[in-house]
Amino acid sequence: FSLLGHSAFTRADYLWVGEFFADFAEQTPAIGDYGVLNLRVGAQFESFAVEVYAENLSNENEFTFWNTAFNAGSRLRPRNVGVDFRYQF
């Protein structure tokens, strides 16, 4: 779409991960069963662009991996909000 005569865009991504286990015997804790929403809005002005974004907007705090040997896992990255500026030479 056009914003003040410049090319602009909006983008929304939703990722759903169903419940799963880290081992075939299903002896580990169930992980997954969460959704992640990412939003991005941006515009292109002559030789530079600006984008505002929010990742994991609902701030889900779920395990993405579980290691049975160490009885530990990794979690989703927390909510991340920012601005990207790009300049094209």
Side-chain angles (χ1 to χ4, degrees), residues 5 9 15 22 31 43 47 49 51-52 55 58 63 72-73 76-77 79-80 86 89:
F9 73 93
L15 169 71
I31 52 181
S47 58
E51 296 179 9
V52 178
E55 298 170 340
S58 61
F63 282 106
L76 283 169
R77 184 176 180 181
R79 181 184 300 124
N80 185 29
R86 286 178 290 154
F89 296 94

Side-chain angles (χ1 to χ4, degrees), residues 19-66:
E19 183 179 83
F20 65 97
F21 294 89
D23 64 340
F24 291 117
E26 298 183 357
Q27 299 299 310
T28 60
I31 52 181
D33 200 27
Y34 61 84
V36 177
L37 177 63
N38 302 318
L39 301 175
R40 189 172 285 265
V41 177
Q44 179 77 37
F45 303 93
E46 300 297 324
S47 58
F48 75 94
V50 62
E51 296 179 9
V52 178
Y53 64 88
E55 298 170 340
N56 191 9
L57 193 60
S58 61
N59 205 27
E60 295 290 331
N61 186 25
E62 301 293 333
F63 282 106
T64 60
F65 171 77
W66 190 261

